Amino acid sequence: MDDVLKQSLLYDFYGELLTQHQRRVYEEVVQGDLSYSEAAEMFGISRQGVHELVKRCNRILADYESKLHLVERFLQIRSNVTEIQSLTRQYEAIDKEVLAEKILGISEKILEEL
């Protein structure tokens, strides 16, 4: 997974756990593609301060993920659902019993993740 997607998912899952100031700066720099200098001017802090704040937010978000694994679980469930969709598209070409067993196995994995 590329860094931008990873940062986006981490922020989607854990962003509300950051302070309001951290969220505002992080959103402008990471999601709004504002430069550190532009964000520094906008928020009245130094460029270095913006850089450190973004690094700190990335560490905080990664730390939440290392403890809670919500993004990991989400990606696994999404992968399993995609596999079910793929199998159901092949409905006519696959033995119905084999198809049912595969879908049952995948659905059990999903339920275990929940």
Side-chain angles (χ1 to χ4, degrees):
M1 173 176 10
D2 71 346
D3 286 342
V4 174
L5 177 59
K6 184 177 180 179
Q7 280 181 317
S8 179
L9 284 172
L10 289 173
Y11 185 78
D12 288 346
F13 277 84
Y14 306 113
E16 289 297 316
L17 300 173
L18 299 173
T19 67
Q20 182 178 2
H21 177 69
Q22 288 171 328
R23 280 195 313 270
R24 288 180 61 221
V25 173
Y26 192 85
E27 286 173 0
E28 291 295 338
V29 173
V30 175
Q31 296 175 334
D33 211 23
L34 214 61
S35 72
Y36 291 151
S37 298
E38 292 169 324
E41 187 175 319
M42 176 186 275
F43 292 103
I45 56 178
S46 70
R47 183 188 176 289
Q48 181 65 29
V50 172
H51 175 71
E52 290 301 318
L53 190 140
V54 170
K55 276 179 44 177
R56 187 175 335 115
C57 288
N58 283 329
R59 279 194 307 270
I60 291 168
L61 297 172
D63 188 45
Y64 284 128
E65 176 60 14
S66 72
K67 291 176 181 163
L68 301 172
H69 305 284
L70 296 178
V71 173
E72 179 184 331
R73 288 179 182 162
F74 168 77
L75 293 173
Q76 184 59 50
I77 290 170
R78 187 172 70 179
S79 173
N80 288 331
V81 170
T82 301
E83 189 175 351
I84 289 173
Q85 289 174 332
S86 174
L87 288 170
T88 56
R89 285 189 193 100
Q90 301 170 25
Y91 179 76
E92 295 300 323
I94 296 178
D95 178 357
K96 305 312 179 237
E97 287 183 32
V98 171
L99 178 64
E101 286 177 30
K102 287 182 177 182
I103 291 174
L104 183 61
I106 295 167
S107 65
E108 286 173 354
K109 285 182 196 177
I110 292 171
L111 289 174
E112 287 173 11
E113 287 294 320
L114 301 175

